[in-house]
Amino acid sequence: MATTKTQNTKLSFEDFKESVISDYKIAVTSRECSLLGRREVLTGKAKFGIFGDGKELPQLAWARAFKNGDFRSGYYRDQTFMMAIDHLSIEQFFAGLYAHTDIDFDPMSAGKQMGGHFATHSLDENGDWKNLLTQKNSSADISPTAGQMPRLLGLAQASKVYRNVAGTEKENFSDNGNEVAWGTIGNASTSEGLFFETINAAGVLQVPMVINVWDDEYGISVHARHQTTKENISEILSGFQRTEEQNGYEIIRVNGWDYPALIEAYERAGKIAREEHVPVLVHVLQLTQPQGHSTSGSHERYKDEERLAWERANDCNVKFKEWIIAQGLATEEELDLLDKEIKKEVRDGKKAAWSAFSYPTQTEQQKVLAILADVISESSNGSFIQPLHTKLSEIKEPLKSDILSTARKALQYTIGESSSAKETLQDWITSYIEKTQPDYSAHLYSETDSNATNIVEVLPEFEAESNLVDGRVILRENFDAIFNSHPNALVFGEDAGAIGDVNQGLEGLQEKYGELRVADTGIREATIIGQGIGMAMRGLRPIAEIQYLDYLLYAIQILSDDLATLRYRSHGKQKAPLIVRTRGHRLEGIWHSGSQMAAAIHLLRGMYILTPRNMTKAAGFYNTLLESDEPGLIIECLNGYRLKEEMPTNLSNIKTPIGVVETVKEGSDITLLSYGSTLRIVQDVAKQLLTVGINAEVIDAQSLLPFDLNHDVVKSVQKTNKILVIDEDMPGGASAYLLQQVLDDQNAYQYLDSKPQTLTAKAHRPAYGTDGDYFSKPSAEDIFEKVYEMMHEVDPETYPAFR
């Protein structure tokens, strides 16, 4: 009630009443969308539904504290909030449920994500940044529970960087760091490791972050007693509560049905985070879930009647209505009438959304039926095509796939025939695929001029007399140039700061550029990546360092589900140009010499995967990515930091091209394709092969995603007629991927006169010690013998049996 008095001192009674009734309208609208949305799923118009019913009231209070420039990193129950900040209409809600592929109808993802996954547009039609300070921002949601937490950390840390690092370019991104990053999570998902990792990291970093825990005591069908110690997340996190002597969190508990208390709680949370730059945990208790977890089942299966009765009585919308009546802001009759009006508005909005979704497909259905009728009349197999026509005509609400599949099946019956109707059908199929496929495939990578593959190579230049330095020095000098010329660039990771990374590639740079731009982190790979994603989404240019390639596994879910999919799932409306730096290959032992390349290639589509053979090439990749606006993973050669390289005179300007291979030795007898540390071994073997009359062509893949956009490898195979792919990944891993690219995409099979082969590591990881590496990964002798064996098979007379 104190909040009510505060409101009345600032607003007239009529203004206050109008504000409350406005909230009530949104709450009822959101609830009706949830109820009607569930019915749309059960009738088959939508595929799956997961809704925000039962969470309406706290989201309305939260929306009042949310300001322009702020960011949300939430999960799939925040529809009321999105409606409250005027970024989700009734029609858009249902367009998302139906998976409408037009971004104008489903602005969240253009049908790429299920309903309940929300986003705002950070980019304009050209892919350029909008002014994020003039709008309320929502980072694009992902489904994996707690997956939104690492990104939330980075969104909050951006405010800290903008406030505390002089010289950052803030325009359109930050008002001196006054923005708050707000997160939401269900109580059950707080059991995930990503939640605890983020909570700890935010407490250490002291960033302006508010995390809302919606607590309805269940996780799907599982009660909190099976989820959380003491069944209370804020209770077990009470040790994080800040004191006068120690930093930590401000922890606020509030009941989710108590409107004035919620308003007060969120005003307080926002003020603390915004002004004091500390994290806040808001634990919203006693919420309900009126329809259960999702449309996959009824909550009556796992809740007893006592619990169900309690939920009906304590439903936040019910309690809100009771409070409005008790405060004399409206009568029950007035609210009942308003409820009826809103129900009609939601029904009308649903109908409009369905019409907009279904009309174009029904139009195509009629077009194809007419074409098929002509085909039937002209084809000798018309009697076989007629059932397809009949079946398609009987579908009242066809999918695009129904129409296209029917057309393609009909075409099969016209093999060997020639007619104008068949040509029309073929033209329609080709045109429809060309028009429709991008709705489901576009924006995996940037489709703007800033696409990294558009950046032209700039070769290193050298002095006449060789100036040899350790490879690490080249990296260090390049990073120094980067931080000097890119005011929004920063790097962070384990041991990245004070000691300048474990291989001294950042030596002395923290002292020069400060602890926020060259920063140490805790041992927490997932949130290191999350820091990078969030900061990149707010205009900074972060480089997140994962100390070793093996440790990428700790962060692979965030890399795969969040970073790699961001541009795709937002239909090109958000981006996070994060550079992930790591090092790997050719050391000792299971945990420091792994090759997770196959996993990275297949799980990180949407990122660039770059494997430079030396530090000059690596420096060029950093420069290329910083000129683009896309994320990339750069894997430096772990055993290359102390190897000598020539220092380029134009170091800060060199650009290593992405998607371009390099022929490092020309030859005529066999093509050897490799990358990274293994390439150096291949180069040495190529010299040895010359002594037995084998002139090998050696090609450095350089980047695995994408690979060889110019199709230069097939040109080599056309000359040599043989190919061997060598790497230290597992059998069937990256080498198999490269071979598939050469054979399938480049059609190199037609030039081969022997079986294309791969030479990889053994199926186990290396045992400890140098001998473990020798007996686990391709050695010089392995490569020599494999190449000679392939040559012997083709020309045994010239190359007699080796053994």
Side-chain angles (χ1 to χ4, degrees):
M1 300 305 297
T3 303
T4 304
K5 293 177 181 177
T6 302
Q7 294 274 4
N8 278 325
T9 61
K10 296 179 180 179
L11 300 172
S12 69
F13 177 80
E14 287 303 317
D15 287 339
F16 175 60
K17 173 182 175 180
E18 182 180 350
S19 174
V20 172
I21 297 302
S22 175
D23 274 355
Y24 180 78
K25 289 178 179 178
I26 296 171
V28 176
T29 299
S30 179
R31 178 64 59 87
E32 288 302 316
C33 284
S34 295
L35 296 172
L36 191 52
R38 183 181 181 89
R39 288 198 288 272
E40 291 298 276
V41 173
L42 297 180
T43 60
K45 285 187 175 180
K47 196 165 188 178
F48 183 78
I50 191 160
F51 307 111
D53 47 304
K55 315 296 186 294
E56 292 89 352
L57 214 55
Q59 291 181 29
L60 290 166
W62 165 30
R64 288 178 173 271
F66 197 93
K67 299 184 181 300
N68 284 353
D70 286 0
F71 260 88
R72 165 190 170 273
S73 181
Y75 83 135
Y76 39 75
R77 300 206 188 274
D78 293 344
Q79 71 196 46
T80 307
F81 170 81
M82 294 300 291
M83 290 178 174
I85 64 169
D86 200 27
H87 277 289
L88 181 67
S89 68
I90 295 169
E91 289 84 353
Q92 289 167 347
F93 172 90
F94 284 102
L97 191 65
Y98 300 141
H100 201 308
T101 56
D102 189 329
I103 193 71
D104 292 332
F105 289 89
D106 174 22
M108 305 303 154
S109 73
K112 288 189 170 77
Q113 296 218 87
M114 70 175 70
H117 292 66
F118 305 113
T120 53
H121 295 181
S122 299
L123 309 178
D124 63 19
E125 295 304 314
N126 298 317
D128 297 322
W129 289 109
K130 297 171 66 177
N131 187 342
L132 304 184
L133 293 175
T134 61
Q135 64 183 39
K136 295 177 171 65
N137 303 285
S138 174
S139 58
D141 292 339
I142 59 176
S143 291
T145 55
Q148 70 274 24
M149 292 294 295
R151 178 203 328 139
L152 172 64
L153 176 67
L155 291 168
Q157 189 181 2
S159 290
K160 182 174 182 178
V161 171
Y162 281 126
R163 176 171 289 189
N164 294 287
V165 177
T168 52
E169 296 176 349
K170 303 181 178 70
E171 187 177 1
N172 295 342
F173 296 114
S174 181
D175 177 19
N176 198 38
N178 287 321
E179 304 78 31
V180 174
W182 304 76
T184 65
I185 192 169
N187 58 296
S189 295
T190 63
S191 300
E192 295 276 11
L194 293 175
F195 173 82
F196 283 96
E197 187 173 322
T198 303
I199 288 292
N200 179 61
V204 170
L205 291 170
Q206 289 292 283
V207 291
M209 178 184 102
V210 180
I211 179 65
N212 305 308
V213 178
W214 308 140
D215 193 343
D216 56 30
E217 296 187 23
Y218 283 85
I220 310 181
S221 65
V222 180
H223 191 269
R225 65 180 175 273
H226 302 296
Q227 306 272 4
T228 310
T229 303
K230 299 184 179 181
E231 301 182 27
N232 190 313
I233 189 62
S234 61
E235 175 68 19
I236 64 174
L237 291 178
S238 59
F240 284 79
Q241 175 66 55
R242 62 179 181 157
T243 65
E244 292 184 3
E245 295 78 24
Q246 291 181 307
N247 289 331
Y249 276 73
E250 187 65 29
I251 298 177
I252 299 172
R253 299 178 182 87
V254 62
N255 289 328
W257 47 262
D258 190 337
Y259 183 71
L262 286 163
I263 296 291
E264 182 180 18
Y266 278 100
E267 285 181 351
R268 180 184 169 208
K271 181 179 177 64
I272 290 171
R274 200 177 307 280
E275 296 180 2
E276 301 180 46
H277 260 219
V278 298
V280 181
L281 174 72
V282 181
H283 187 188
V284 183
L285 298 147
Q286 296 192 14
L287 288 171
T288 67
Q289 201 155 275
Q291 298 187 106
H293 175 263
S294 68
T295 54
S296 62
S298 170
H299 63 150
E300 293 177 355
R301 294 168 56 197
Y302 52 86
K303 293 176 183 175
D304 59 29
E305 184 51 43
E306 182 180 357
R307 172 67 190 189
L308 292 170
W310 181 90
E311 289 196 5
R312 288 190 291 270
N314 290 276
D315 183 301
C316 65
N317 281 15
V318 172
K319 301 290 279 187
F320 190 23
K321 188 174 186 177
E322 292 173 353
W323 180 83
I324 291 173
I325 295 168
Q327 296 299 307
L329 300 174
T331 66
E332 184 172 4
E333 291 75 16
E334 289 172 333
L335 295 181
D336 287 344
L337 180 61
L338 187 57
D339 291 349
K340 292 179 181 179
E341 293 173 353
I342 291 172
K343 287 182 180 180
K344 182 180 184 305
E345 185 180 353
V346 172
R347 286 196 302 271
D348 291 345
K350 185 269 295 183
K351 291 177 182 177
W354 178 253
S355 177
F357 170 75
S358 60
Y359 178 75
T361 309
Q362 291 171 339
T363 301
E364 293 294 337
Q365 178 192 32
Q366 296 306 311
K367 185 185 298 184
V368 170
L369 286 172
I371 295 172
L372 289 179
D374 291 339
V375 172
I376 290 168
S377 67
E378 295 183 18
S379 173
S380 61
N381 287 321
S383 60
F384 296 101
I385 302 173
Q386 181 62 56
L388 296 174
H389 182 281
T390 301
K391 184 177 180 180
L392 179 61
S393 67
E394 291 173 347
I395 302 176
K396 294 182 179 179
E397 294 168 345
L399 299 173
K400 297 173 187 176
S401 56
D402 293 326
I403 303 168
L404 182 57
S405 175
T406 300
R408 294 171 73 181
K409 287 176 181 176
L411 189 62
Q412 295 171 13
Y413 286 106
T414 67
I415 293 174
E417 297 182 352
S418 178
S419 70
S420 60
K422 177 182 177 179
E423 290 180 7
T424 302
L425 180 61
Q426 288 175 317
D427 290 344
W428 180 89
I429 292 171
T430 300
S431 174
Y432 194 67
I433 291 174
E434 289 177 352
K435 178 181 70 175
T436 307
Q437 185 64 50
D439 291 341
Y440 303 92
S441 303
H443 301 293
L444 182 61
Y445 292 92
S446 173
E447 298 180 6
T448 71
D449 292 339
S450 297
N451 183 295
T453 61
N454 292 334
I455 296 172
V456 178
E457 179 178 20
V458 177
L459 291 168
E461 299 172 359
F462 304 99
E463 295 178 345
E465 294 187 9
S466 179
N467 179 23
L468 292 176
V469 298
D470 287 348
R472 71 171 188 87
V473 175
I474 290 176
L475 282 177
R476 184 193 67 195
E477 296 304 303
N478 194 62
F479 282 131
D480 189 8
I482 285 171
F483 297 137
N484 185 56
S485 61
H486 292 77
N488 284 21
L490 64 162
V491 64
F492 45 92
E494 299 157 13
D495 297 316
I499 69 169
D501 88 42
V502 291
N503 297 103
Q504 286 76 62
L506 298 166
E507 180 185 27
L509 298 185
Q510 185 182 80
E511 184 177 355
K512 185 173 183 179
Y513 294 102
E515 294 186 1
L516 285 178
R517 291 193 71 191
V518 184
D520 285 308
T521 68
I523 300 176
R524 45 175 182 78
E525 285 77 9
T527 44
I528 290 173
I529 296 301
Q531 287 175 250
I533 295 171
M535 286 192 282
M537 293 184 76
R538 292 192 56 194
L540 294 170
R541 293 310 308 264
I543 302 171
E545 181 170 316
I546 301 298
Q547 193 165 89
Y548 294 107
L549 177 60
D550 302 75
Y551 304 159
L552 203 72
L553 296 178
Y554 284 93
I556 199 72
Q557 188 258 319
I558 296 303
L559 286 166
S560 179
D561 291 334
D562 199 353
L563 180 60
T565 67
L566 175 61
R567 192 183 290 267
Y568 171 78
R569 73 178 188 272
S570 67
H571 202 67
K573 296 302 182 182
Q574 292 188 0
K575 62 183 177 182
L578 167 65
I579 300 174
V580 181
R581 179 193 185 206
T582 190
R583 53 193 65 82
H585 300 144
R586 298 284 165 176
L587 195 57
E588 281 86 28
I590 295 174
W591 314 122
H592 294 82
S593 58
S595 180
Q596 290 76 21
M597 302 311 302
I601 289 168
H602 297 302
L603 293 173
L604 303 185
R605 301 295 171 107
M607 293 180 64
Y608 295 118
I609 299 181
L610 312 174
T611 51
R613 68 178 181 270
N614 58 39
M615 302 311 162
T616 303
K617 289 289 184 179
F621 276 137
Y622 286 110
N623 297 341
T624 297
L625 285 175
L626 281 167
E627 192 172 309
S628 79
D629 65 351
E630 297 182 89
L633 169 67
I634 299 177
I635 303 167
E636 299 166 7
C637 295
L638 187 52
N639 60 356
Y641 295 105
R642 303 293 171 180
L643 297 180
K644 299 298 183 181
E645 299 181 32
E646 289 188 75
M647 173 64 77
T649 57
N650 63 333
L651 180 61
S652 62
N653 295 321
I654 64 174
K655 305 286 193 309
T656 306
I658 292 176
V660 178
V661 303
E662 181 180 353
T663 301
V664 296
K665 178 191 174 300
E666 293 189 355
S668 57
D669 294 328
I670 186 171
T671 300
L672 304 181
L673 173 63
S674 189
Y675 61 88
S677 295
T678 306
L679 186 86
R680 290 199 296 270
I681 302 174
V682 174
Q683 288 178 283
D684 290 341
V685 171
K687 297 175 184 177
Q688 298 171 29
L689 288 168
L690 289 171
T691 65
V692 293
I694 300 174
N695 187 9
E697 183 145 292
V698 179
I699 298 179
D700 182 3
Q702 297 201 109
S703 73
L704 303 186
L705 282 182
F707 169 71
D708 193 11
L709 297 176
N710 297 328
H711 287 192
D712 289 326
V713 174
V714 71
K715 299 168 189 173
S716 174
V717 175
Q718 190 172 3
K719 174 174 57 174
T720 67
N721 309 118
K722 291 171 285 295
I723 184 169
L724 174 65
V725 183
I726 309 110
D727 83 334
E728 57 182 277
D729 202 13
M730 297 291 181
S735 58
Y737 157 78
L738 291 172
L739 193 57
Q740 178 269 329
Q741 292 280 297
V742 173
L743 296 181
D744 287 355
D745 288 6
Q746 301 186 18
N747 295 318
Y749 66 88
Q750 60 190 317
Y751 304 113
L752 293 172
D753 57 18
S754 68
K755 182 179 73 170
Q757 297 192 48
T758 64
L759 180 61
T760 70
K762 300 295 188 291
H764 56 76
R765 295 195 197 179
Y768 178 67
T770 303
D771 282 342
D773 179 83
Y774 185 87
F775 287 97
S776 302
K777 296 185 176 183
S779 66
E781 292 74 31
D782 292 331
I783 299 169
F784 183 97
E785 292 170 11
K786 173 62 77 172
V787 172
Y788 192 91
E789 174 189 310
M790 292 176 68
M791 296 301 295
H792 166 73
E793 180 185 12
V794 175
D795 187 357
E797 184 174 332
T798 304
Y799 306 101
F802 187 80
R803 291 178 182 170

